Amino acid sequence: MEKSGSTDSLGSKRSSSRQPSVDSLSSTSTSRSDRSAQAKPPSAMSSDSVSTGEFSPELRVKPKIPAKVLRDSDKEEPQLLPKETVQDMAQDVTYFCPFIGALRGTVTITNYRLFFKCMDREPAFVLDLPLGVVSRVEKIGSASSRGDVSYGLVCKDMRNLRFAHKQMEDTLRKSIFEVLMKFAFPVSNGLQIFAFEYGQMFPENGWKVYDTVSEYKRQGIPNESWRITKVNDHYELCDTYPSNLAVPVNIPDEELKRVAAFRAKGRIPVLSWIHPESQATVTRCSQPMVGVNGKRSKEDEKYLQAIMDANAQSHKLFIFDARPSVNAAANKMKGGGYESEDAYQNAELVFLDIHNIHVMRESLRKLKDVVYPNIEDSHWLSNLESTHWLEHIKLILAGALRIADKVESGKTSVVVHCSDGWDRTGQLTSLAMLMLDSYYRTIRGFEVLLEKEWLSFGHRFQLRIGHGDKNHTDADRSPVFIQFIDCVWQLTRQFPAAFEFNEYFLVTILDHLYSCLFGTFLCNSEQQRLKEEIPKRTVSLWSYINSQLEEFTNPLYVNYSNHVLFPVVSLRHLELWVGYYIRWNPRMRPQEPVHQRYKELLAKRAELQKRVDELQREVTNRSASSSSERAGSPTRSITPVQTFV
């Protein structure tokens, strides 16, 4: 496979898309997006906008499939989605916008969103917020001298919103923000998440994007070294794993059960990816249950030996433990631990020093304090450094790079785990596979990667995000998946032509991680999704995305099928993702509407490709007619030129 180690090798300069300088953080200039006049998507992405004008997010989509529109005569209601119903409405509510000050208008609460509209400005100001984004609602103080009651909305997407309205004269009537709490936290209030109500029809069924057997077949599995086992068909071996697992061919199902008894949560080492040439593999699992007494398992040792033996190119196995060594050792006190190099012959253990979910949660909290609502210009760099966010991103990328390098350059099989194997492990395996396999860098391939490494392998989305749950202090909440998408964005910055998808694709995925409009990120495991009948009862996010691919396509994309990406993971080459974390600040918007320029480039690219195809046919036809005219005489055939724009 060819290797790409820099931006230039894939045909694009980075200088044109640099992070804003510190000066621009305090700039007072704002730009009007050309795309802002377009309609809202059926997804109703959360937005801070002056109607559809100056403060509108630059990343917007005009849907091909129009949502059903129910519009009030005074135009104060939002465009409603299928099965979305208005629950309450309040006049004379004040929204304290941190960028343009207090705005008085109307709030509408539906079973899906909060919709605020101020008609006093020209153009009108609109705030459209999916309720799934709300982390908590706080009543701020008691009623003021003017009789106003204030409420604060802390959001999962970096924002804090504050509203005030007059004290209700009718004390029996609920405040509109009490109604909001009921529908923002449906799980805590015995209601259904809106995804179960939403019935939008799309041309494609996104639930069919990923099929386990088809993906293994694409990788050449089963083969003489690996088989697909049905031992977990009813989730009895491991209830957080998928039903189909790829395991070494010489390990029978009975032995798999004994290996499961030695691995945390029964998460045995299973195949994630196999190199098409060397047969080196990426396998994932949870920590071994070694404990303080250093327990061993002959079956587990034999199993890892079988993984190594399946790769004839190397007589070594690398075990990458995502944790800092101190944390891994501390886990022995809880019955866990790590592999001893004495017990596992020819195996080398490497710790990657990635911190746990609690450290990451605190890091994101600090980042939010730094970037929202206002940025302190004089201490920007030191404040950003104090969050340690980019350091964590660096360690995750560095770990994935080491894994990819061992598989590609070292032709050595690797085993990856953290404690339970559903957080840091998923980050590392999916990023390494993204570097190794160009298929995952396409739009559909990336969807398959998420379905496979995150959803089917049991990343606990429900617990980490807290869909519809008011318990915002839950220790299980953590931005593990957000960090992964951030790492993917960092790769797209270093290799602008290597990915078929654009930044808007990544932002859309994160918006719908929270929105509860689609069923894709609901529940904690494949078993739970089947039990809740998620594919039958909800719409897949991929249905929405794949119905309008032009919105999410990178016009610079070049399909280098055998390229392996080796990014630079130095902190000097990493950037804060302004387009996601600071997108609500109007001063941070691009001077030009980048997304619109991308669409224009795509159209131009298609036009040029069409012309190339026409010329290609013309050359072929001339060649054929020339050959027939001079049949019998020696002629030199014209070879058609294979040209791709």
Side-chain angles (χ1 to χ4, degrees), residues 187 192-197 207 455 459-463 465-468 512-526 528-530 532 534 537-539:
V187 172
Q192 280 198 131
I193 285 174
F194 183 71
F196 292 106
E197 307 281 344
W207 295 116
L455 293 154
H459 176 66
R460 307 204 294 175
F461 280 101
Q462 182 67 41
L463 283 169
I465 306 303
H467 297 306
H512 291 301
L513 173 67
Y514 300 128
S515 74
C516 294
L517 184 64
F518 301 102
T520 303
F521 299 116
L522 300 184
C523 302
N524 294 316
S525 64
E526 181 179 289
Q528 283 186 15
R529 284 182 202 97
L530 286 177
E532 295 291 331
I534 297 291
R537 299 171 60 201
T538 70
V539 179

Side-chain angles (χ1 to χ4, degrees), residues 426-447:
Q427 289 176 329
L428 291 166
T429 56
S430 48
L431 284 168
M433 290 157 67
L434 205 58
M435 294 174 195
L436 289 163
D437 192 336
S438 61
Y439 169 67
Y440 297 125
R441 301 196 285 268
T442 65
I443 291 176
R444 290 178 187 274
F446 191 77
E447 292 167 357

Side-chain angles (χ1 to χ4, degrees), residues 270-384:
V270 290
L271 180 81
S272 277
W273 189 79
I274 185 167
H275 196 288
E277 294 163 11
S278 69
Q279 302 293 293
T281 56
V282 176
T283 50
R284 60 180 293 171
C285 59
S286 60
Q287 65 182 337
M289 302 306 286
V290 175
V292 288
N293 298 323
K295 280 192 291 186
R296 289 177 62 171
S297 163
K298 287 181 182 178
E299 289 82 9
D300 195 76
E301 291 162 26
K302 178 186 173 185
Y303 190 95
L304 263 64
Q305 182 67 40
I307 291 173
M308 189 185 74
D309 292 343
N311 172 20
Q313 301 265 9
S314 174
H315 299 292
K316 195 165 189 175
L317 182 71
F318 275 88
I319 302 170
F320 286 98
D321 190 324
R323 303 166 293 183
S325 56
V326 178
N327 297 32
N331 265 279
K332 285 187 175 183
M333 303 300 292
K334 302 174 190 172
Y338 53 89
E339 294 84 354
S340 156
E341 290 182 0
D342 295 332
Y344 295 85
Q345 296 297 311
N346 303 314
E348 185 175 324
L349 180 66
V350 179
F351 292 103
L352 297 176
D353 297 324
I354 301 168
H355 288 280
N356 63 28
I357 61 170
H358 313 295
V359 173
M360 302 310 185
R361 180 176 61 245
E362 180 62 14
S363 180
L364 185 66
R365 185 195 64 76
K366 288 179 180 176
L367 180 64
K368 182 175 180 176
D369 288 344
V370 168
V371 302
Y372 192 89
N374 296 309
I375 292 162
E376 191 183 351
D377 181 35
S378 56
H379 299 101
W380 166 244
L381 291 175
S382 56
N383 285 346
L384 179 60

Side-chain angles (χ1 to χ4, degrees), residues 62 85 115 126 229-230 280 297 304 320 442 626:
K62 186 173 184 178
T85 54
F115 185 82
V126 167
T229 176
K230 295 281 190 180
S297 163
L304 263 64
F320 286 98
T442 65
S626 173

Side-chain angles (χ1 to χ4, degrees), residues 16 27-28 33 46 151 209-210 216 246 259 276 478 541 625:
S16 62
S27 165
T28 54
S33 165
S46 53
Y151 288 87
V209 161
Y210 174 62
Y216 280 134
V259 174
S478 191
L541 172 58
S625 60

Side-chain angles (χ1 to χ4, degrees), residues 142-149:
S142 54
S144 68
S145 56
R146 290 170 43 215
D148 282 4
V149 184

